[in-house]
Amino acid sequence: MSSEEHVHGYTSEKSSHLKRLRRIEGQIRGLQRMVEEDKYCIDILTQVSAATKALQSFSLELLDEHLSHCVVEAAQKGGAEAEEKVREASDAIARLVRS
């Protein structure tokens, strides 16, 4: 099975995820407009914080889906694939914590 044929944990929520990402994209465009229009620094920082929180929320939901689908599936099979999926998830969590 190729990676294009593989069903990912987020597949069932794909349209919802895309909607959220478009909303975040709109927030980023709004930030660009605020800078172009010389808005007050604190107002821009407030919007940066909102966009950051939106991305963090999205990433946590995606991580949860990965754990409950990809990692659980690999763990049931066991072996090297299970170890790799757990390591990938652990690395992803570490990146999120540092960000």
Side-chain angles (χ1 to χ4, degrees), residues 50-84:
T52 300
K53 291 291 182 195
L55 277 171
Q56 287 171 339
S57 176
F58 172 76
S59 62
L60 288 173
E61 186 173 330
L62 197 61
L63 178 63
D64 183 61
E65 290 166 355
H66 178 69
L67 291 171
S68 63
H69 180 267
C70 300
V71 175
V72 167
E73 190 176 277
Q76 289 170 342
K77 292 177 185 175
E81 183 182 356
E83 291 175 17
E84 178 166 343

mmCIF file of all heavy atoms in Angstrom, residues 50-84:
data_model
loop_
_atom_site.group_PDB
_atom_site.id
_atom_site.type_symbol
_atom_site.label_atom_id
_atom_site.label_comp_id
_atom_site.label_asym_id
_atom_site.label_seq_id
_atom_site.Cartn_x
_atom_site.Cartn_y
_atom_site.Cartn_z
ATOM 1 N N ALA A 50 -3.219 34.883 19.538
ATOM 2 C CA ALA A 50 -4.420 34.149 19.127
ATOM 3 C C ALA A 50 -4.098 33.145 18.022
ATOM 4 O O ALA A 50 -4.560 31.996 18.053
ATOM 5 C CB ALA A 50 -5.501 35.122 18.673
ATOM 6 N N ALA A 51 -3.300 33.554 17.049
ATOM 7 C CA ALA A 51 -2.923 32.658 15.953
ATOM 8 C C ALA A 51 -2.062 31.505 16.473
ATOM 9 O O ALA A 51 -2.227 30.356 16.055
ATOM 10 C CB ALA A 51 -2.191 33.434 14.864
ATOM 11 N N THR A 52 -1.165 31.818 17.388
ATOM 12 C CA THR A 52 -0.311 30.790 17.983
ATOM 13 C C THR A 52 -1.151 29.765 18.727
ATOM 14 O O THR A 52 -0.945 28.551 18.587
ATOM 15 C CB THR A 52 0.726 31.431 18.928
ATOM 16 O OG1 THR A 52 1.524 32.341 18.173
ATOM 17 C CG2 THR A 52 1.608 30.395 19.586
ATOM 18 N N LYS A 53 -2.104 30.230 19.514
ATOM 19 C CA LYS A 53 -2.980 29.320 20.267
ATOM 20 C C LYS A 53 -3.801 28.463 19.314
ATOM 21 O O LYS A 53 -4.016 27.268 19.570
ATOM 22 C CB LYS A 53 -3.913 30.100 21.200
ATOM 23 C CG LYS A 53 -3.207 30.771 22.343
ATOM 24 C CD LYS A 53 -2.670 29.760 23.317
ATOM 25 C CE LYS A 53 -1.998 30.457 24.474
ATOM 26 N NZ LYS A 53 -1.164 29.572 25.254
ATOM 27 N N ALA A 54 -4.266 29.046 18.212
ATOM 28 C CA ALA A 54 -5.041 28.284 17.233
ATOM 29 C C ALA A 54 -4.194 27.172 16.621
ATOM 30 O O ALA A 54 -4.656 26.038 16.453
ATOM 31 C CB ALA A 54 -5.587 29.213 16.146
ATOM 32 N N LEU A 55 -2.945 27.470 16.283
ATOM 33 C CA LEU A 55 -2.048 26.453 15.738
ATOM 34 C C LEU A 55 -1.724 25.385 16.780
ATOM 35 O O LEU A 55 -1.672 24.190 16.467
ATOM 36 C CB LEU A 55 -0.755 27.095 15.227
ATOM 37 C CG LEU A 55 -0.820 27.668 13.825
ATOM 38 C CD1 LEU A 55 0.446 28.458 13.514
ATOM 39 C CD2 LEU A 55 -1.035 26.572 12.794
ATOM 40 N N GLN A 56 -1.519 25.794 18.019
ATOM 41 C CA GLN A 56 -1.244 24.818 19.074
ATOM 42 C C GLN A 56 -2.440 23.886 19.273
ATOM 43 O O GLN A 56 -2.273 22.672 19.401
ATOM 44 C CB GLN A 56 -0.908 25.538 20.384
ATOM 45 C CG GLN A 56 0.445 26.190 20.393
ATOM 46 C CD GLN A 56 0.673 27.068 21.616
ATOM 47 O OE1 GLN A 56 -0.272 27.515 22.266
ATOM 48 N NE2 GLN A 56 1.930 27.325 21.917
ATOM 49 N N SER A 57 -3.622 24.438 19.278
ATOM 50 C CA SER A 57 -4.828 23.638 19.434
ATOM 51 C C SER A 57 -4.980 22.652 18.288
ATOM 52 O O SER A 57 -5.289 21.465 18.494
ATOM 53 C CB SER A 57 -6.046 24.559 19.507
ATOM 54 O OG SER A 57 -7.235 23.821 19.558
ATOM 55 N N PHE A 58 -4.732 23.123 17.075
ATOM 56 C CA PHE A 58 -4.800 22.256 15.908
ATOM 57 C C PHE A 58 -3.777 21.125 16.017
ATOM 58 O O PHE A 58 -4.092 19.962 15.784
ATOM 59 C CB PHE A 58 -4.569 23.057 14.624
ATOM 60 C CG PHE A 58 -4.450 22.191 13.407
ATOM 61 C CD1 PHE A 58 -5.572 21.614 12.841
ATOM 62 C CD2 PHE A 58 -3.218 21.934 12.844
ATOM 63 C CE1 PHE A 58 -5.464 20.788 11.725
ATOM 64 C CE2 PHE A 58 -3.104 21.118 11.735
ATOM 65 C CZ PHE A 58 -4.230 20.544 11.168
ATOM 66 N N SER A 59 -2.553 21.471 16.391
ATOM 67 C CA SER A 59 -1.506 20.452 16.460
ATOM 68 C C SER A 59 -1.796 19.426 17.546
ATOM 69 O O SER A 59 -1.531 18.227 17.359
ATOM 70 C CB SER A 59 -0.122 21.086 16.642
ATOM 71 O OG SER A 59 -0.049 21.800 17.840
ATOM 72 N N LEU A 60 -2.359 19.836 18.668
ATOM 73 C CA LEU A 60 -2.705 18.877 19.724
ATOM 74 C C LEU A 60 -3.805 17.931 19.272
ATOM 75 O O LEU A 60 -3.769 16.732 19.575
ATOM 76 C CB LEU A 60 -3.115 19.615 21.000
ATOM 77 C CG LEU A 60 -1.977 20.296 21.748
ATOM 78 C CD1 LEU A 60 -2.516 21.132 22.902
ATOM 79 C CD2 LEU A 60 -0.957 19.280 22.243
ATOM 80 N N GLU A 61 -4.766 18.443 18.528
ATOM 81 C CA GLU A 61 -5.832 17.586 18.016
ATOM 82 C C GLU A 61 -5.268 16.581 17.012
ATOM 83 O O GLU A 61 -5.594 15.395 17.040
ATOM 84 C CB GLU A 61 -6.926 18.425 17.356
ATOM 85 C CG GLU A 61 -8.121 17.609 16.931
ATOM 86 C CD GLU A 61 -9.269 18.458 16.440
ATOM 87 O OE1 GLU A 61 -9.435 19.598 16.901
ATOM 88 O OE2 GLU A 61 -10.009 17.959 15.567
ATOM 89 N N LEU A 62 -4.391 17.050 16.140
ATOM 90 C CA LEU A 62 -3.768 16.168 15.159
ATOM 91 C C LEU A 62 -2.912 15.105 15.857
ATOM 92 O O LEU A 62 -2.932 13.928 15.478
ATOM 93 C CB LEU A 62 -2.930 16.994 14.189
ATOM 94 C CG LEU A 62 -2.519 16.336 12.890
ATOM 95 C CD1 LEU A 62 -3.733 15.933 12.064
ATOM 96 C CD2 LEU A 62 -1.635 17.277 12.094
ATOM 97 N N LEU A 63 -2.186 15.508 16.883
ATOM 98 C CA LEU A 63 -1.375 14.561 17.652
ATOM 99 C C LEU A 63 -2.258 13.506 18.313
ATOM 100 O O LEU A 63 -1.943 12.307 18.281
ATOM 101 C CB LEU A 63 -0.544 15.302 18.702
ATOM 102 C CG LEU A 63 0.305 14.425 19.609
ATOM 103 C CD1 LEU A 63 1.359 13.660 18.814
ATOM 104 C CD2 LEU A 63 0.967 15.278 20.679
ATOM 105 N N ASP A 64 -3.364 13.932 18.876
ATOM 106 C CA ASP A 64 -4.289 12.998 19.508
ATOM 107 C C ASP A 64 -4.802 11.978 18.497
ATOM 108 O O ASP A 64 -4.864 10.775 18.785
ATOM 109 C CB ASP A 64 -5.454 13.762 20.141
ATOM 110 C CG ASP A 64 -6.407 12.831 20.862
ATOM 111 O OD1 ASP A 64 -5.981 12.162 21.816
ATOM 112 O OD2 ASP A 64 -7.594 12.775 20.455
ATOM 113 N N GLU A 65 -5.143 12.457 17.306
ATOM 114 C CA GLU A 65 -5.611 11.549 16.260
ATOM 115 C C GLU A 65 -4.502 10.583 15.844
ATOM 116 O O GLU A 65 -4.759 9.402 15.595
ATOM 117 C CB GLU A 65 -6.127 12.335 15.062
ATOM 118 C CG GLU A 65 -7.430 13.055 15.381
ATOM 119 C CD GLU A 65 -7.807 14.097 14.346
ATOM 120 O OE1 GLU A 65 -7.022 14.346 13.411
ATOM 121 O OE2 GLU A 65 -8.900 14.674 14.490
ATOM 122 N N HIS A 66 -3.276 11.086 15.771
ATOM 123 C CA HIS A 66 -2.142 10.229 15.413
ATOM 124 C C HIS A 66 -1.943 9.137 16.468
ATOM 125 O O HIS A 66 -1.760 7.965 16.125
ATOM 126 C CB HIS A 66 -0.868 11.068 15.262
ATOM 127 C CG HIS A 66 0.333 10.257 14.943
ATOM 128 N ND1 HIS A 66 0.513 9.623 13.736
ATOM 129 C CD2 HIS A 66 1.429 9.954 15.687
ATOM 130 C CE1 HIS A 66 1.661 8.967 13.741
ATOM 131 N NE2 HIS A 66 2.240 9.152 14.920
ATOM 132 N N LEU A 67 -1.991 9.526 17.720
ATOM 133 C CA LEU A 67 -1.803 8.552 18.798
ATOM 134 C C LEU A 67 -2.906 7.500 18.791
ATOM 135 O O LEU A 67 -2.630 6.296 18.899
ATOM 136 C CB LEU A 67 -1.755 9.252 20.158
ATOM 137 C CG LEU A 67 -0.531 10.115 20.435
ATOM 138 C CD1 LEU A 67 -0.725 10.917 21.713
ATOM 139 C CD2 LEU A 67 0.734 9.268 20.501
ATOM 140 N N SER A 68 -4.145 7.938 18.657
ATOM 141 C CA SER A 68 -5.261 7.004 18.754
ATOM 142 C C SER A 68 -5.446 6.152 17.499
ATOM 143 O O SER A 68 -6.109 5.119 17.559
ATOM 144 C CB SER A 68 -6.559 7.737 19.091
ATOM 145 O OG SER A 68 -6.902 8.636 18.065
ATOM 146 N N HIS A 69 -4.841 6.551 16.402
ATOM 147 C CA HIS A 69 -4.985 5.771 15.179
ATOM 148 C C HIS A 69 -3.667 5.092 14.797
ATOM 149 O O HIS A 69 -3.524 3.881 14.902
ATOM 150 C CB HIS A 69 -5.484 6.665 14.039
ATOM 151 C CG HIS A 69 -5.660 5.945 12.747
ATOM 152 N ND1 HIS A 69 -4.679 5.889 11.791
ATOM 153 C CD2 HIS A 69 -6.708 5.233 12.252
ATOM 154 C CE1 HIS A 69 -5.104 5.180 10.761
ATOM 155 N NE2 HIS A 69 -6.334 4.772 11.004
ATOM 156 N N CYS A 70 -2.701 5.882 14.379
ATOM 157 C CA CYS A 70 -1.447 5.337 13.836
ATOM 158 C C CYS A 70 -0.631 4.588 14.890
ATOM 159 O O CYS A 70 -0.144 3.481 14.634
ATOM 160 C CB CYS A 70 -0.604 6.457 13.223
ATOM 161 S SG CYS A 70 -1.438 7.329 11.883
ATOM 162 N N VAL A 71 -0.485 5.191 16.062
ATOM 163 C CA VAL A 71 0.349 4.565 17.100
ATOM 164 C C VAL A 71 -0.340 3.322 17.661
ATOM 165 O O VAL A 71 0.301 2.278 17.825
ATOM 166 C CB VAL A 71 0.709 5.574 18.216
ATOM 167 C CG1 VAL A 71 1.462 4.885 19.343
ATOM 168 C CG2 VAL A 71 1.536 6.723 17.637
ATOM 169 N N VAL A 72 -1.623 3.412 17.920
ATOM 170 C CA VAL A 72 -2.349 2.251 18.445
ATOM 171 C C VAL A 72 -2.319 1.101 17.438
ATOM 172 O O VAL A 72 -2.061 -0.054 17.797
ATOM 173 C CB VAL A 72 -3.805 2.624 18.816
ATOM 174 C CG1 VAL A 72 -4.653 1.383 19.061
ATOM 175 C CG2 VAL A 72 -3.817 3.525 20.041
ATOM 176 N N GLU A 73 -2.537 1.414 16.168
ATOM 177 C CA GLU A 73 -2.505 0.392 15.117
ATOM 178 C C GLU A 73 -1.135 -0.285 15.052
ATOM 179 O O GLU A 73 -1.032 -1.509 14.981
ATOM 180 C CB GLU A 73 -2.855 1.039 13.776
ATOM 181 C CG GLU A 73 -3.100 0.072 12.645
ATOM 182 C CD GLU A 73 -3.532 0.813 11.386
ATOM 183 O OE1 GLU A 73 -4.725 1.124 11.274
ATOM 184 O OE2 GLU A 73 -2.658 1.085 10.534
ATOM 185 N N ALA A 74 -0.073 0.514 15.094
ATOM 186 C CA ALA A 74 1.283 -0.038 15.050
ATOM 187 C C ALA A 74 1.583 -0.852 16.308
ATOM 188 O O ALA A 74 2.220 -1.904 16.239
ATOM 189 C CB ALA A 74 2.307 1.086 14.884
ATOM 190 N N ALA A 75 1.118 -0.369 17.462
ATOM 191 C CA ALA A 75 1.364 -1.086 18.718
ATOM 192 C C ALA A 75 0.692 -2.455 18.702
ATOM 193 O O ALA A 75 1.236 -3.427 19.237
ATOM 194 C CB ALA A 75 0.873 -0.261 19.900
ATOM 195 N N GLN A 76 -0.477 -2.533 18.097
ATOM 196 C CA GLN A 76 -1.175 -3.817 18.006
ATOM 197 C C GLN A 76 -0.392 -4.806 17.146
ATOM 198 O O GLN A 76 -0.409 -5.999 17.407
ATOM 199 C CB GLN A 76 -2.583 -3.623 17.457
ATOM 200 C CG GLN A 76 -3.500 -2.936 18.431
ATOM 201 C CD GLN A 76 -4.833 -2.517 17.818
ATOM 202 O OE1 GLN A 76 -4.984 -2.437 16.610
ATOM 203 N NE2 GLN A 76 -5.798 -2.225 18.686
ATOM 204 N N LYS A 77 0.318 -4.289 16.129
ATOM 205 C CA LYS A 77 1.139 -5.154 15.270
ATOM 206 C C LYS A 77 2.451 -5.516 15.959
ATOM 207 O O LYS A 77 3.001 -6.582 15.743
ATOM 208 C CB LYS A 77 1.440 -4.452 13.950
ATOM 209 C CG LYS A 77 0.225 -4.253 13.072
ATOM 210 C CD LYS A 77 0.604 -3.493 11.809
ATOM 211 C CE LYS A 77 -0.618 -3.183 10.978
ATOM 212 N NZ LYS A 77 -0.284 -2.346 9.805
ATOM 213 N N GLY A 78 2.953 -4.570 16.775
ATOM 214 C CA GLY A 78 4.199 -4.803 17.501
ATOM 215 C C GLY A 78 5.427 -4.662 16.619
ATOM 216 O O GLY A 78 5.350 -4.238 15.471
ATOM 217 N N GLY A 79 6.565 -4.964 17.185
ATOM 218 C CA GLY A 79 7.808 -4.958 16.441
ATOM 219 C C GLY A 79 8.384 -3.578 16.189
ATOM 220 O O GLY A 79 8.084 -2.613 16.892
ATOM 221 N N ALA A 80 9.221 -3.514 15.163
ATOM 222 C CA ALA A 80 9.964 -2.285 14.846
ATOM 223 C C ALA A 80 9.039 -1.132 14.459
ATOM 224 O O ALA A 80 9.307 0.021 14.793
ATOM 225 C CB ALA A 80 10.956 -2.552 13.718
ATOM 226 N N GLU A 81 7.951 -1.446 13.757
ATOM 227 C CA GLU A 81 7.018 -0.379 13.367
ATOM 228 C C GLU A 81 6.414 0.299 14.595
ATOM 229 O O GLU A 81 6.299 1.518 14.650
ATOM 230 C CB GLU A 81 5.899 -0.921 12.481
ATOM 231 C CG GLU A 81 4.949 0.168 12.002
ATOM 232 C CD GLU A 81 3.792 -0.336 11.154
ATOM 233 O OE1 GLU A 81 3.738 -1.540 10.847
ATOM 234 O OE2 GLU A 81 2.942 0.493 10.813
ATOM 235 N N ALA A 82 6.060 -0.490 15.596
ATOM 236 C CA ALA A 82 5.500 0.062 16.828
ATOM 237 C C ALA A 82 6.513 0.960 17.515
ATOM 238 O O ALA A 82 6.182 2.065 17.948
ATOM 239 C CB ALA A 82 5.061 -1.061 17.766
ATOM 240 N N GLU A 83 7.746 0.484 17.597
ATOM 241 C CA GLU A 83 8.801 1.283 18.226
ATOM 242 C C GLU A 83 9.013 2.596 17.474
ATOM 243 O O GLU A 83 9.171 3.651 18.088
ATOM 244 C CB GLU A 83 10.098 0.480 18.281
ATOM 245 C CG GLU A 83 10.049 -0.681 19.245
ATOM 246 C CD GLU A 83 11.298 -1.535 19.190
ATOM 247 O OE1 GLU A 83 12.335 -1.084 18.662
ATOM 248 O OE2 GLU A 83 11.231 -2.679 19.683
ATOM 249 N N GLU A 84 8.990 2.544 16.141
ATOM 250 C CA GLU A 84 9.187 3.754 15.353
ATOM 251 C C GLU A 84 8.037 4.747 15.529
ATOM 252 O O GLU A 84 8.262 5.945 15.681
ATOM 253 C CB GLU A 84 9.343 3.426 13.867
ATOM 254 C CG GLU A 84 9.500 4.700 13.050
ATOM 255 C CD GLU A 84 9.977 4.470 11.640
ATOM 256 O OE1 GLU A 84 10.506 3.378 11.349
ATOM 257 O OE2 GLU A 84 9.821 5.382 10.834
#
